[in-house]
Amino acid sequence: MTLPSDQYGALAFSMRGISKSFGSVCANEQIDFMVRQGEIHALLGENGSGKSTLMNVLSGVYRPDCGSLEVFGKQRFFHSPGDAIRCGIGMVYQHFKLAESLTATDNIMAGLSRTQIADAIRSVRQAADSDGHEDKTAAPIRSSGYRKNWKSDLVRRFASRFHVEFDPDKPASQLSVSEKQSVEIIKVLIRGAKILVLDEPTAVLTPQETKRLFGVLRNMRDRGCSVVFISHKLGEIMELCDRVTVLRKGRSVDTLVVSEVDTYDLVERMVGHKVELEIARPDPNPEHEECLRVDSLSYLDEKGVRKLSGVSFSTFYGEILGVAGLAGGGQKELCEVIAGIIRPDGGAIAVDGESITGLSPRSISAKGVSMCFIPEDRLGMGLVASMGMVENVLLKEYAFQKGIFIHSDAARSKSEQIVEELDILTPSISHPVRLLSGGNIQKVILGREIHLKPKLMIAAYAVRGLDIQSSYTIYRLLNEQKARNVSVLYIGEDLDVLMALCDRILVLCQGENMGIVDARNTTKIELGQMMSGTKLEVLRSGVDYVSNR
Amino acid sequence: MIAILTRPEFIASAISFSVILLLGTLGELLTERAGHLNLGVEGMMLLGGSFGYYAAVQTNSLLITFLAACLGSGLGALMYGFLTVTLRVNQNVTGLALTMFGAGLANSVGSKVAGTTTPEAIRAYFLYQPFHIDHPSNDFLKYINRAFLSHDLFVYSAILLAFILAVFLFRTREGLALRLTGENTAAADASGIKVTRIKYMYIVLGGMLCGLGGLYLPLVQQGSWTDSMTAGQGWLVVALVIFVRWHPIKAIAGSFVFGALSILGYYVQLNPDLSAMPIFNQYIMSMFPFLLTIIVLVIASARKRAWSGPAEIGHSYFREDR
Amino acid sequence: MFRIAKREKSSLSDSFLFRILGFIVGMGLSMLFIGVLGHNPFKSMTTLLSGAFGTANAFRNTLTFAIPLATTALGLSVAFRMKFWNIGGEGQLLMGATAAMFISMVTGPNTSGWILIPTMLIAGFIGGAVWAMIPGIFRIHLRTNETLFTLMMNYLAIEFVKYLYYNLWKDPGRSGFPGIKSIQTQAFLPRVMGVSVGVLIPVVLTVVVFILVNKTKPGYEIRVVGESEPTANYAGMNVKKIMLGGVLLSGGIVGLAGAAKLAGETFTLTESLAGGAGFTAIVIAWLANLSAPIILVVSFLFAALEQGAQTIQLRLGVPAAVAEIIKGLMLMSFLGSEFFLRYRLIYDRRKPVKQQILVEDKPVCSGDPPATLGSEGKEGET
């Protein structure tokens, strides 16, 4: 499996026999993983295959149960992320670790030792020298006297070495998602990271931003750094990476040279058996009968940030309408406003012509509108994490029972039915749902909601965190609902899936509707441009519009 | 009323009264900047006060008095730290437990020195007023002298400390590390900051400051020990930290306001016309600091964005949490 | 070197074991502190026990102490279920007593006890509920920090009662020491074998609270709101209404405790009527894990502690404040024991990073079982 080391660079690090379990779940089992200097190495695996766990072991966040780690030829055992940083390993986490109220500079500089600061200053100076031209503003960082913003100067100039840009004086809360990612990257580079680990970095980016990130990463590789790129998106791996290690169910399966394999091969190794990558898409109900109608909906959140502005669209029976957009683009609020969980500031919502604007979920169902909503935050909103299935099924039923006492017999038999129908793996129906796996948790919600026999189904990020098998089960269930003439509103993040599953796709950008395209003839480029703020009319009118982002 | 508020004696005693609150606020502020809400201020103040006062009576040594106060309150804070940092227990309940434990231990220790007064040797230290002008030349100077310059070294040190802490928090690397820990512990950890050490350090240090604040009460202000003598001041401190928005320099002004309000009742009683009015009744006036606290809390919640403290407050950090 | 791992779930026996350990550690630490304070810890403890249970009279006193404690803890447990940190029990209790006092003062001397007592109890409920409602409303609509708000309400209540005591309700007929007149004699709760019938209140409430929380719709709603407000919203519950109801009920029950104490024990209103019961009840509710039947038992034990502490002060000169020490330490060690239910400590033989850099380690597999530790356990991280 190991390639002769002289063919590429020397080993940057090697992990051997790494095991890590959480309770009874074995996330990593005897994993071997080796990365060379000067390569971009993909770590491929489904959700739950142990990629993040392995990288958290590498970056000192988790302590492995057993196994050994060698970094630049030395045996290491990390007790904290600080240890890993000192050995040159920098991790950019999927969920950014930034203090929202502190500026980008403070976020980057906090915890730097004096020597690290000195090194950073030296490297910036050297870069300025080698560029030859004398940069006047750059002259003395922290040389004489007290200069208030030497820190942000340093950060700005350090970042520009890597062709990364952001405003170092802005609080992190005001940075865009891709800027936050840049801050994270600079944060680890300024600590002298020679090995950069990125956990699903493209999940939150538009196709255009992804391209820019790839540029930065290639640049790093050319400087001799190693990059570990965690992903489950095959296209990106084929485009960017040199080698790929495939994980499956917590074990390392193979390490391959990317140019020697194709995507089907990779998927098979990743899943363990042949899978049909095609998502079925039955034809929608041709009658175009309107179900949900949303008219110039606006919503301001508690902090006064406009999350939705003038969104209008309709959904039809027997179709899946996809909603695409960057994280925080208003998708969550759109769902919650329609489901009646939060009140809109303006606009109208109607189902079958009946207005449900501003009604609570219970008054909506009292009006006879059967709608179900599968929220993004399953354990925090869709379910009561510490209760069992029965009490969670009761959540949607108890209000319609007579008298003051709770009757759980019906919910009990319904729970058993759901377990059977959807193959839910649970020790018992009273087992706390938070202890179930992600896929099973999602099935519990779906099962409960489908049993409500809805006309309109809203599913937000229904496959987030699920493995391929479970994801396809969810797609199948959604398609079943479509076949039953239910109108489905599907909020997704993977453009490939949206384009394969949905009939039409609505793109939201900062709470505005950028337009609705036919999923059968659109491109990722087009969706990406809409996601970053170009309206469909503008795109299609042929005006040469260059996105300013 | 205005006459009372501008009396130099009133201002002077408001200042000396607010020292207790100021030290407590600075201490609690440090703790909260590390992401921990310690509701046990009342307990730690009492611990510091009783241990310190006991040591003063027993040893007549100022140094040992201070050390004992730090020991008592530091011990309480350390217990809190062990429970909330290492054992990751709910911070609110632990704080309440500390209040209870602290009050119990302090009253037990205090009962051993009941009926004594601060020894002269100790009292002498606090009679020294470094900025006092002996013969002020004009009325203005007289006023300033009486109101602001006639305090002991302890008072000025506390105010100086507030400035030092402000520089520490906003101008030093260590201060930045502390702030990041309180804002996002995981980020601090990932940046190589030793978060456990930082948390312990500032929880204990903060506790000691509270204890020194509590010490001033029996040692100087009252000159003797009374059971549970802080009478809610520790709780005012918790609200004060919100009021001053976690900023040490604002803490000076904030604690002055609360200190003034706390003793206002006493000065109003000296005026028979005012004290006859029901609103200025002694007991109604004792409510004012607590009412102001409530107002602060309500404003803080209505203006969440500007008044929200370090984001990690109340959360336990476990690195392997997913 | 220990490292910490999360426990998925803990068995009932583990939970029992660690709580027992917590109790032992708490007791041990308490005795240590009593010893350090210069008293004989063993003698103190035995005297404490005999002071609480030794004689019929002592036992009666303990029961009398237990009434407000248990009632208050039951009331607080309702709020705690919703994660509404009502630590204003002291004030709610006092205001309950004040409201009951008010009824006794305004009714004529000929009012029958059969009317007067229930009216006073209802007034007590309302008094406590109103006092809890004020912070409750702010919490519900503005998310004001209820912990501090309810706490401040305690001090307001104390100052308010002082005001009544020394001014508004001062008994003019009294010479010398000021005070409020006693309640009407027909409002005294009847006694059975020396204990006021008020003792029935916590017993009945235990059943009511237990059924309410576990078997009824409002109880289910309260539990869901406590677990996750977004989920409650999602399920179409009116979180504001549910929370307000819960807060009113919580404060009301606590207020009832105040009325019962007034009518069954003190017969007059003073600012120290609550006597710390509001705080002790927090400890009780927490130690009992908010379960109504356990609250009843724990309250009895804490009442014994309070009663016993009075005895050791009288007989041995040990300050009664040690009761507070014991309470605080008990709570802390129980809290600490929860850690061992949620996490496991694993002994790690690998060397710390500084020494290991030069050492050529072989990969080590720690297949050994987790080391079980008592509550005094070592620090987990280095």
Side-chain angles (χ1 to χ4, degrees):
Chain A
M1 190 171 78
T2 41
L3 295 162
S5 59
D6 50 300
Q7 191 176 335
Y8 294 85
L11 276 181
F13 69 86
S14 65
M15 305 174 85
R16 288 198 176 83
I18 299 288
S19 295
K20 173 77 188 171
S21 50
F22 298 96
S24 58
V25 182
C26 201
N28 283 173
E29 216 179 329
Q30 295 290 328
I31 291 186
D32 294 330
F33 183 46
M34 275 149 248
V35 170
R36 302 210 152 77
Q37 298 175 23
E39 72 167 347
I40 301 183
H41 195 125
L43 189 57
L44 172 71
E46 297 193 60
N47 286 316
S49 62
K51 300 174 304 230
S52 297
T53 306
L54 185 66
M55 288 302 101
N56 276 320
V57 167
L58 178 65
S59 64
V61 173
Y62 297 163
R63 284 192 222 174
D65 300 333
C66 68
S68 70
L69 169 64
E70 219 171 77
V71 184
F72 296 116
K74 278 195 189 128
Q75 187 87 27
R76 301 284 179 175
F77 179 69
F78 298 148
H79 283 256
S80 74
D83 288 349
I85 291 167
R86 282 184 277 280
C87 292
I89 296 171
M91 173 120 173
V92 175
Y93 298 88
Q94 188 180 5
H95 303 289
F96 302 139
K97 299 200 173 184
L98 294 174
E100 295 281 316
S101 63
L102 299 185
T103 62
T105 305
D106 280 350
N107 268 298
I108 290 168
M109 300 291 284
L112 278 184
S113 67
R114 276 179 216 287
T115 46
Q116 280 170 325
I117 294 176
D119 286 346
I121 292 174
R122 199 176 311 123
S123 81
V124 167
R125 285 226 178 100
Q126 276 167 3
D129 288 348
S130 65
D131 285 356
H133 57 81
E134 192 61 39
D135 187 350
K136 285 199 183 93
T137 57
I141 298 181
R142 209 191 177 192
S143 58
S144 60
Y146 178 71
R147 267 183 62 208
K148 199 179 170 198
N149 43 8
W150 66 269
K151 283 184 184 171
S152 28
D153 267 4
L154 176 63
V155 166
R156 182 180 295 116
R157 291 170 57 196
F158 191 88
S160 72
R161 280 188 59 210
F162 294 90
H163 313 291
V164 170
E165 262 180 40
F166 52 85
D167 183 351
D169 296 320
K170 256 193 196 170
S173 55
Q174 289 173 22
L175 297 174
S176 75
V177 181
S178 78
E179 282 174 323
K180 283 183 186 174
Q181 190 176 58
S182 305
V183 172
E184 288 279 20
I185 292 174
I186 294 305
K187 193 161 97 183
V188 298
L189 290 181
I190 210 166
R191 285 169 168 71
K194 298 275 176 293
I195 300 163
L196 187 64
V197 183
L198 298 109
D199 192 356
E200 307 260 2
T202 58
V204 291
L205 302 182
T206 63
Q208 287 79 1
E209 287 166 340
T210 303
K211 238 191 188 103
R212 207 168 311 140
L213 174 70
F214 284 4
V216 173
L217 297 182
R218 288 197 185 101
N219 178 290
M220 300 213 33
R221 171 184 60 192
D222 299 342
R223 287 161 185 255
C225 293
S226 311
V227 176
V228 179
F229 183 83
I230 306 180
S231 183
H232 59 253
K233 294 184 182 169
L234 298 166
E236 291 177 350
I237 289 174
M238 302 304 283
E239 185 188 338
L240 176 73
C241 303
D242 303 313
R243 292 198 302 159
V244 54
T245 294
V246 183
L247 296 189
R248 184 169 73 227
K249 291 185 178 149
R251 291 174 171 275
S252 45
V253 180
D254 266 322
T255 298
L256 306 154
V257 176
V258 169
S259 55
E260 294 167 5
V261 287
D262 62 17
T263 44
Y264 287 93
D265 199 14
L266 282 179
V267 173
E268 208 181 307
R269 285 169 207 267
M270 175 162 94
V271 184
H273 51 84
K274 272 214 159 32
V275 273
E276 201 52 61
L277 263 187
E278 299 298 311
I279 300 170
R281 175 160 51 191
D283 283 335
N285 183 343
E287 284 176 20
H288 281 307
E289 196 188 332
E290 188 181 72
C291 172
L292 169 75
R293 183 187 187 85
V294 172
D295 252 324
S296 53
L297 201 62
S298 340
Y299 174 71
L300 284 172
D301 73 0
E302 282 175 344
K303 291 177 183 163
V305 180
R306 183 156 290 281
K307 286 293 188 183
L308 291 176
S309 55
V311 175
S312 308
F313 66 93
S314 304
T315 71
F316 302 121
Y317 281 110
E319 70 147 12
I320 299 182
L321 174 66
V323 178
L326 287 178
Q331 299 94 314
K332 178 171 178 264
E333 288 75 13
L334 179 66
C335 297
E336 292 183 2
V337 167
I338 297 173
I341 294 168
I342 52 181
R343 281 164 170 277
D345 292 297
I349 310 163
V351 174
D352 285 341
E354 182 136 18
S355 168
I356 56 164
T357 320
L359 293 184
S360 75
R362 197 161 290 165
S363 355
I364 292 174
S365 58
K367 265 198 155 181
V369 175
S370 62
M371 174 203 305
C372 73
F373 171 38
I374 293 140
E376 171 184 359
D377 184 358
R378 290 160 213 159
L379 284 180
M381 181 180 252
L383 296 169
V384 184
S386 65
M387 292 182 178
M389 261 187 86
V390 180
E391 284 189 302
N392 272 300
V393 167
L394 269 172
L395 208 55
K396 286 286 175 91
E397 291 187 349
Y398 81 96
F400 306 104
Q401 293 178 349
K402 285 198 188 77
I404 190 176
F405 292 102
I406 290 264
H407 308 281
S408 53
D409 301 343
R412 200 173 292 278
S413 58
K414 194 184 248 185
S415 303
E416 271 157 10
Q417 204 180 335
I418 294 172
V419 167
E420 191 137 322
E421 282 171 8
L422 300 184
D423 285 327
I424 296 173
L425 282 177
T426 173
S428 87
I429 51 171
S430 49
H431 196 65
V433 290
R434 76 186 154 83
L435 298 177
L436 303 183
S437 73
N440 284 316
I441 289 172
Q442 187 66 302
K443 284 184 197 166
V444 170
I445 303 190
L446 257 172
R448 181 185 71 198
E449 299 300 311
I450 288 172
H451 265 263
L452 298 173
K453 305 231 170 357
K455 285 198 264 191
L456 171 64
M457 175 178 239
I458 305 167
Y461 305 109
V463 297
R464 181 181 281 177
L466 304 192
D467 59 32
I468 292 190
Q469 206 83 25
S470 310
S471 303
Y472 276 74
T473 311
I474 305 293
Y475 301 146
R476 185 172 54 78
L477 287 169
L478 291 177
N479 273 328
E480 266 172 29
Q481 293 301 307
K482 175 176 161 184
R484 276 192 206 145
N485 210 24
V486 172
S487 168
V488 180
L489 188 65
Y490 176 85
I491 320 295
E493 45 196 345
D494 191 332
L495 293 182
D496 292 313
V497 171
L498 278 165
M499 285 160 60
L501 175 73
C502 305
D503 299 299
R504 296 182 299 149
I505 300 173
L506 182 159
V507 181
L508 278 181
C509 175
Q510 295 180 344
E512 264 189 88
N513 182 354
M514 293 290 126
I516 299 179
V517 294
D518 185 345
R520 287 173 180 79
N521 49 47
T522 182
T523 59
K524 265 168 108 173
I525 301 290
E526 188 177 56
L527 289 173
Q529 280 171 323
M530 288 166 75
M531 279 159 74
S532 44
T534 317
K535 288 217 160 145
L536 181 65
E537 309 96 83
V538 182
L539 270 180
R540 296 250 164 116
S541 67
V543 178
D544 188 36
Y545 179 87
V546 181
S547 165
N548 56 358
R549 289 167 62 95
Chain B
M1 196 67 203
I2 302 281
I4 292 177
L5 289 177
T6 52
R7 269 176 69 180
E9 290 82 9
F10 173 74
I11 293 175
S13 50
I15 289 176
S16 78
F17 207 84
S18 63
V19 168
I20 303 160
L21 293 171
L22 176 59
L23 281 171
T25 307
L26 293 176
E28 179 67 7
L29 188 147
L30 275 185
T31 307
E32 291 191 23
R33 281 283 185 182
H36 281 247
L37 175 68
N38 189 347
L39 290 182
V41 182
E42 184 93 352
M44 295 188 297
M45 279 185 158
L46 285 168
L47 278 175
S50 64
F51 274 57
Y53 184 76
Y54 180 82
V57 171
Q58 299 292 334
T59 65
N60 280 342
S61 152
L62 188 67
L63 180 70
I64 295 180
T65 301
F66 279 173
L67 287 180
C70 288
L71 175 80
S73 50
L75 172 82
L78 189 66
M79 290 167 81
Y80 170 87
F82 179 70
L83 283 166
T84 56
V85 179
T86 301
L87 299 187
R88 296 164 177 86
V89 172
N90 180 315
Q91 295 177 8
N92 279 353
V93 191
T94 310
L96 289 175
L98 176 57
T99 302
M100 225 167 263
F101 166 76
L105 185 55
N107 292 342
S108 303
V109 170
S111 71
K112 299 197 179 302
V113 284
T116 61
T117 52
T118 309
E120 281 309 315
I122 302 274
R123 193 187 291 272
Y125 290 107
F126 292 92
L127 290 175
Y128 172 62
Q129 300 174 339
F131 300 111
H132 184 77
I133 308 169
D134 288 332
H135 304 289
S137 52
N138 58 37
D139 283 355
F140 175 72
L141 221 52
K142 231 179 235 167
Y143 182 86
I144 295 292
N145 189 31
R146 182 73 200 87
F148 299 107
L149 299 179
S150 302
H151 296 287
D152 56 54
L153 206 54
F154 197 79
V155 172
Y156 298 115
S157 310
I159 294 168
L160 181 67
L161 183 69
F163 285 98
I164 293 173
L165 282 183
V167 172
F168 164 77
L169 268 179
F170 301 112
R171 289 273 177 269
T172 66
R173 289 189 305 125
E174 183 74 357
L176 178 58
L178 170 62
R179 282 189 291 143
L180 183 63
T181 307
E183 291 292 345
N184 189 335
T185 309
D189 196 12
S191 303
I193 294 168
K194 297 196 165 104
V195 289
T196 307
R197 200 172 73 180
I198 283 207
K199 286 183 166 191
Y200 264 103
M201 210 159 112
Y202 293 102
I203 286 172
V204 172
L205 212 63
M208 288 177 171
L209 284 181
C210 293
L212 286 177
L215 174 64
Y216 198 70
L217 196 53
L219 199 67
V220 183
Q221 205 134 71
Q222 191 171 314
S224 64
W225 172 264
T226 320
D227 273 3
S228 300
M229 66 193 303
T230 47
Q233 288 193 60
W235 297 106
L236 292 186
V237 160
V238 180
L240 249 169
V241 175
I242 303 172
F243 184 48
V244 304
R245 300 197 211 173
W246 297 269
H247 197 296
I249 292 179
K250 289 179 190 156
I252 301 173
S255 40
F256 178 74
V257 171
F258 273 78
L261 215 48
S262 303
I263 55 143
L264 188 59
Y266 171 75
Y267 276 84
V268 169
Q269 295 320 304
L270 300 179
N271 182 330
D273 292 343
L274 276 178
S275 61
M277 285 190 259
I279 181 77
F280 290 129
N281 177 282
Q282 182 186 353
Y283 302 103
I284 300 293
M285 290 205 69
S286 311
M287 292 185 187
F288 286 2
F290 302 111
L291 278 173
L292 181 61
T293 304
I294 288 174
I295 293 168
V296 168
L297 290 173
V298 170
I299 293 174
S301 60
R303 306 191 52 212
K304 261 249 150 64
R305 207 143 46 122
W307 291 62
S308 62
E312 289 283 351
I313 284 182
H315 303 292
S316 314
Y317 176 64
F318 178 52
R319 189 186 284 151
E320 300 205 357
D321 262 341
R322 285 187 292 180
Chain C
M1 256 351 86
F2 287 95
R3 65 194 173 88
I4 303 173
K6 219 160 199 165
R7 230 178 240 271
E8 225 166 59
K9 54 198 161 206
S10 46
S11 65
L12 213 62
S13 63
D14 273 355
S15 136
F16 191 68
L17 175 75
F18 283 118
R19 279 174 206 285
I20 293 285
L21 272 174
F23 178 81
I24 294 172
V25 170
M27 254 324 166
L29 283 176
S30 304
M31 290 175 61
L32 182 76
F33 273 103
I34 294 174
V36 169
L37 284 169
H39 308 284
N40 182 338
F42 299 100
K43 197 162 176 219
S44 303
M45 281 298 166
T46 45
T47 316
L48 193 147
L49 279 180
S50 74
F53 305 113
T55 62
N57 195 34
F59 191 76
R60 273 198 288 272
N61 281 340
T62 300
L63 269 186
T64 308
F65 262 121
I67 300 172
L69 286 182
T71 314
T72 309
L74 284 168
L76 295 183
S77 75
V78 174
F80 291 169
R81 284 258 178 212
M82 302 185 296
K83 302 230 162 71
F84 180 98
W85 303 117
N86 179 6
I87 55 176
E90 199 81 355
Q92 288 147 21
L93 200 146
L94 210 46
M95 291 317 277
T98 307
M101 185 80 214
F102 177 73
I103 296 294
S104 158
M105 286 174 75
V106 294
T107 45
N110 300 326
T111 321
S112 142
W114 289 104
I115 298 169
L116 194 54
I117 290 176
T119 324
M120 280 170 70
L121 291 180
I122 291 168
F125 187 94
I126 294 171
V130 168
W131 214 241
M133 184 185 75
I134 300 167
I137 284 178
F138 281 98
R139 160 67 181 79
I140 289 162
H141 292 282
L142 288 173
R143 304 194 75 87
T144 306
N145 181 332
E146 79 277 9
T147 316
L148 288 173
F149 202 141
T150 48
L151 196 104
M152 292 300 140
M153 295 302 283
N154 288 342
Y155 289 102
L156 292 188
I158 290 172
E159 295 301 331
F160 181 63
V161 171
K162 272 193 201 164
Y163 174 65
L164 296 178
Y165 189 84
Y166 292 104
N167 296 74
L168 214 53
W169 288 0
K170 196 164 99 179
D171 182 5
R174 247 184 178 175
S175 55
F177 234 57
I180 302 176
K181 233 183 183 161
S182 292
I183 55 169
Q184 302 183 37
T185 41
Q186 72 271 31
F188 287 20
L189 286 181
R191 282 169 184 270
V192 179
M193 293 176 21
V195 180
S196 105
V197 293
V199 80
L200 290 176
I201 294 176
V203 176
V204 172
L205 276 177
T206 300
V207 179
V208 170
V209 169
F210 183 81
I211 291 178
L212 178 88
V213 168
N214 293 301
K215 304 281 175 208
T216 67
K217 283 186 194 174
Y220 177 73
E221 289 177 331
I222 282 176
R223 282 186 292 140
V224 173
V225 167
E227 283 292 335
S228 154
E229 276 184 52
T231 307
N233 261 321
Y234 165 81
M237 294 178 187
N238 187 340
V239 174
K240 291 181 175 175
K241 218 162 110 186
I242 295 166
M243 199 172 254
L244 186 64
V247 167
L248 288 177
L249 184 66
S250 171
I253 296 176
V254 178
L256 193 61
K261 182 154 184 175
L262 180 81
E265 192 185 334
T266 65
F267 310 121
T268 182
L269 182 67
T270 65
E271 92 264 9
S272 59
L273 179 129
F279 289 110
T280 309
I282 299 170
V283 185
I284 294 170
W286 201 264
L287 294 188
N289 214 1
L290 309 185
S291 148
I294 304 180
I295 284 178
L296 202 59
V297 177
V298 177
S299 304
F300 183 71
L301 294 178
F302 269 70
L305 177 64
E306 304 256 351
Q307 166 63 20
Q310 311 256 329
T311 317
I312 54 174
Q313 177 154 26
L314 282 175
R315 288 202 209 147
L316 306 177
V318 178
V322 296
E324 300 289 313
I325 300 183
I326 298 175
K327 267 186 260 175
L329 286 173
M330 273 304 177
L331 182 55
M332 285 191 198
S333 53
F334 265 72
L335 288 171
S337 74
E338 276 173 23
F339 169 82
F340 297 93
L341 294 176
R342 283 185 288 134
Y343 301 91
R344 292 181 300 143
L345 284 186
I346 298 168
Y347 179 62
D348 216 325
R349 280 172 300 184
R350 280 166 291 198
K351 297 183 181 74
V353 74
K354 288 198 183 73
Q355 301 161 24
Q356 136 231 323
I357 286 174
L358 295 173
V359 180
E360 204 63 19
D361 258 345
K362 280 194 188 117
V364 186
C365 234
S366 61
D368 42 16
T372 317
L373 279 174
S375 299
E376 81 288 349
K378 321 271 185 308
E379 199 204 315
E381 276 167 310
T382 44

